[in-house]
mmCIF file of all heavy atoms in Angstrom:
data_model
loop_
_atom_site.group_PDB
_atom_site.id
_atom_site.type_symbol
_atom_site.label_atom_id
_atom_site.label_comp_id
_atom_site.label_asym_id
_atom_site.label_seq_id
_atom_site.Cartn_x
_atom_site.Cartn_y
_atom_site.Cartn_z
ATOM 1 N N VAL X 33 -10.217 0.793 10.649
ATOM 2 C CA VAL X 33 -10.224 -0.481 9.917
ATOM 3 C C VAL X 33 -8.831 -0.633 9.294
ATOM 4 O O VAL X 33 -8.276 0.302 8.711
ATOM 5 C CB VAL X 33 -11.294 -0.524 8.786
ATOM 6 C CG1 VAL X 33 -11.152 -1.729 7.921
ATOM 7 C CG2 VAL X 33 -12.642 -0.473 9.441
ATOM 8 N N ASP X 34 -8.212 -1.809 9.370
ATOM 9 C CA ASP X 34 -6.915 -2.062 8.800
ATOM 10 C C ASP X 34 -7.119 -2.459 7.319
ATOM 11 O O ASP X 34 -7.425 -3.628 7.043
ATOM 12 C CB ASP X 34 -6.192 -3.190 9.588
ATOM 13 C CG ASP X 34 -4.749 -3.353 9.173
ATOM 14 O OD1 ASP X 34 -4.402 -3.135 7.971
ATOM 15 O OD2 ASP X 34 -3.980 -3.754 10.040
ATOM 16 N N ILE X 35 -6.955 -1.503 6.426
ATOM 17 C CA ILE X 35 -7.275 -1.733 5.007
ATOM 18 C C ILE X 35 -6.396 -2.863 4.428
ATOM 19 O O ILE X 35 -6.886 -3.729 3.720
ATOM 20 C CB ILE X 35 -7.104 -0.448 4.194
ATOM 21 C CG1 ILE X 35 -8.165 0.598 4.688
ATOM 22 C CG2 ILE X 35 -7.309 -0.684 2.709
ATOM 23 C CD1 ILE X 35 -7.847 1.991 4.237
ATOM 24 N N LEU X 36 -5.102 -2.818 4.720
ATOM 25 C CA LEU X 36 -4.187 -3.870 4.143
ATOM 26 C C LEU X 36 -4.546 -5.253 4.671
ATOM 27 O O LEU X 36 -4.573 -6.157 3.886
ATOM 28 C CB LEU X 36 -2.807 -3.459 4.575
ATOM 29 C CG LEU X 36 -1.615 -4.181 3.860
ATOM 30 C CD1 LEU X 36 -1.752 -4.041 2.351
ATOM 31 C CD2 LEU X 36 -0.330 -3.685 4.332
ATOM 32 N N ALA X 37 -4.887 -5.363 5.918
ATOM 33 C CA ALA X 37 -5.243 -6.665 6.451
ATOM 34 C C ALA X 37 -6.556 -7.178 5.853
ATOM 35 O O ALA X 37 -6.734 -8.331 5.551
ATOM 36 C CB ALA X 37 -5.422 -6.657 8.004
ATOM 37 N N GLU X 38 -7.517 -6.214 5.594
ATOM 38 C CA GLU X 38 -8.796 -6.589 5.005
ATOM 39 C C GLU X 38 -8.486 -7.186 3.573
ATOM 40 O O GLU X 38 -9.138 -8.122 3.161
ATOM 41 C CB GLU X 38 -9.733 -5.387 4.953
ATOM 42 C CG GLU X 38 -10.280 -5.037 6.273
ATOM 43 C CD GLU X 38 -11.211 -6.066 6.889
ATOM 44 O OE1 GLU X 38 -11.991 -6.707 6.064
ATOM 45 O OE2 GLU X 38 -11.161 -6.323 8.096
ATOM 46 N N LEU X 39 -7.681 -6.499 2.792
ATOM 47 C CA LEU X 39 -7.370 -6.941 1.461
ATOM 48 C C LEU X 39 -6.636 -8.332 1.514
ATOM 49 O O LEU X 39 -6.873 -9.160 0.658
ATOM 50 C CB LEU X 39 -6.471 -5.922 0.739
ATOM 51 C CG LEU X 39 -7.124 -4.651 0.303
ATOM 52 C CD1 LEU X 39 -6.120 -3.673 -0.245
ATOM 53 C CD2 LEU X 39 -8.179 -4.892 -0.746
ATOM 54 N N GLY X 40 -5.775 -8.496 2.540
ATOM 55 C CA GLY X 40 -5.083 -9.770 2.666
ATOM 56 C C GLY X 40 -6.019 -10.992 2.949
ATOM 57 O O GLY X 40 -5.747 -12.100 2.604
ATOM 58 N N ARG X 41 -7.214 -10.698 3.495
ATOM 59 C CA ARG X 41 -8.178 -11.767 3.737
ATOM 60 C C ARG X 41 -8.958 -12.196 2.558
ATOM 61 O O ARG X 41 -9.631 -13.268 2.570
ATOM 62 C CB ARG X 41 -9.138 -11.324 4.843
ATOM 63 C CG ARG X 41 -8.535 -11.191 6.184
ATOM 64 C CD ARG X 41 -9.602 -10.825 7.247
ATOM 65 N NE ARG X 41 -8.974 -10.457 8.519
ATOM 66 C CZ ARG X 41 -8.697 -9.211 8.901
ATOM 67 N NH1 ARG X 41 -9.091 -8.212 8.172
ATOM 68 N NH2 ARG X 41 -8.111 -9.032 10.062
ATOM 69 N N ARG X 42 -8.941 -11.443 1.507
ATOM 70 C CA ARG X 42 -9.730 -11.755 0.279
ATOM 71 C C ARG X 42 -9.133 -12.909 -0.477
ATOM 72 O O ARG X 42 -7.907 -13.095 -0.535
ATOM 73 C CB ARG X 42 -9.759 -10.515 -0.682
ATOM 74 C CG ARG X 42 -10.575 -9.406 -0.075
ATOM 75 C CD ARG X 42 -10.651 -8.284 -1.119
ATOM 76 N NE ARG X 42 -11.374 -7.192 -0.551
ATOM 77 C CZ ARG X 42 -11.655 -6.104 -1.239
ATOM 78 N NH1 ARG X 42 -11.153 -5.949 -2.496
ATOM 79 N NH2 ARG X 42 -12.380 -5.145 -0.709
ATOM 80 N N LYS X 43 -9.985 -13.732 -1.047
ATOM 81 C CA LYS X 43 -9.481 -14.913 -1.770
ATOM 82 C C LYS X 43 -8.852 -14.439 -3.112
ATOM 83 O O LYS X 43 -7.815 -14.953 -3.555
ATOM 84 C CB LYS X 43 -10.615 -15.896 -2.062
ATOM 85 C CG LYS X 43 -11.076 -16.624 -0.807
ATOM 86 C CD LYS X 43 -12.120 -17.631 -1.137
ATOM 87 C CE LYS X 43 -12.734 -18.074 0.193
ATOM 88 N NZ LYS X 43 -12.595 -19.409 0.498
ATOM 89 N N ARG X 44 -9.522 -13.556 -3.808
ATOM 90 C CA ARG X 44 -8.961 -12.956 -5.038
ATOM 91 C C ARG X 44 -8.537 -11.536 -4.731
ATOM 92 O O ARG X 44 -9.350 -10.724 -4.297
ATOM 93 C CB ARG X 44 -10.037 -12.957 -6.112
ATOM 94 C CG ARG X 44 -10.473 -14.351 -6.488
ATOM 95 C CD ARG X 44 -11.387 -14.332 -7.672
ATOM 96 N NE ARG X 44 -10.567 -14.005 -8.849
ATOM 97 C CZ ARG X 44 -11.073 -13.421 -9.963
ATOM 98 N NH1 ARG X 44 -12.335 -13.142 -10.059
ATOM 99 N NH2 ARG X 44 -10.267 -13.129 -10.916
ATOM 100 N N ARG X 45 -7.268 -11.325 -4.865
ATOM 101 C CA ARG X 45 -6.672 -9.994 -4.537
ATOM 102 C C ARG X 45 -5.485 -9.701 -5.380
ATOM 103 O O ARG X 45 -4.823 -10.622 -5.935
ATOM 104 C CB ARG X 45 -6.355 -9.975 -3.085
ATOM 105 C CG ARG X 45 -5.341 -10.961 -2.672
ATOM 106 C CD ARG X 45 -4.982 -10.836 -1.206
ATOM 107 N NE ARG X 45 -4.044 -11.794 -0.723
ATOM 108 C CZ ARG X 45 -2.738 -11.746 -0.950
ATOM 109 N NH1 ARG X 45 -2.209 -10.704 -1.611
ATOM 110 N NH2 ARG X 45 -1.903 -12.609 -0.430
ATOM 111 N N PRO X 46 -5.039 -8.444 -5.404
ATOM 112 C CA PRO X 46 -3.806 -8.103 -6.140
ATOM 113 C C PRO X 46 -2.617 -8.510 -5.281
ATOM 114 O O PRO X 46 -2.793 -8.970 -4.163
ATOM 115 C CB PRO X 46 -3.930 -6.577 -6.210
ATOM 116 C CG PRO X 46 -4.755 -6.190 -5.058
ATOM 117 C CD PRO X 46 -5.750 -7.297 -4.913
ATOM 118 N N VAL X 47 -1.457 -8.411 -5.802
ATOM 119 C CA VAL X 47 -0.216 -8.627 -5.083
ATOM 120 C C VAL X 47 -0.168 -7.525 -4.011
ATOM 121 O O VAL X 47 -0.324 -6.333 -4.310
ATOM 122 C CB VAL X 47 1.059 -8.539 -5.941
ATOM 123 C CG1 VAL X 47 2.311 -8.603 -5.147
ATOM 124 C CG2 VAL X 47 0.988 -9.692 -6.971
ATOM 125 N N LEU X 48 0.016 -7.929 -2.768
ATOM 126 C CA LEU X 48 0.052 -6.916 -1.697
ATOM 127 C C LEU X 48 1.488 -6.716 -1.154
ATOM 128 O O LEU X 48 2.117 -7.663 -0.776
ATOM 129 C CB LEU X 48 -0.839 -7.414 -0.498
ATOM 130 C CG LEU X 48 -2.340 -7.415 -0.826
ATOM 131 C CD1 LEU X 48 -3.071 -7.956 0.440
ATOM 132 C CD2 LEU X 48 -2.812 -5.993 -1.130
#
Side-chain angles (χ1 to χ4, degrees):
V33 173
D34 189 329
I35 298 168
L36 192 56
E38 289 293 323
L39 289 172
R41 289 184 190 99
R42 293 183 180 182
K43 289 182 194 243
R44 296 188 71 205
R45 61 178 179 78
V47 172
L48 291 179

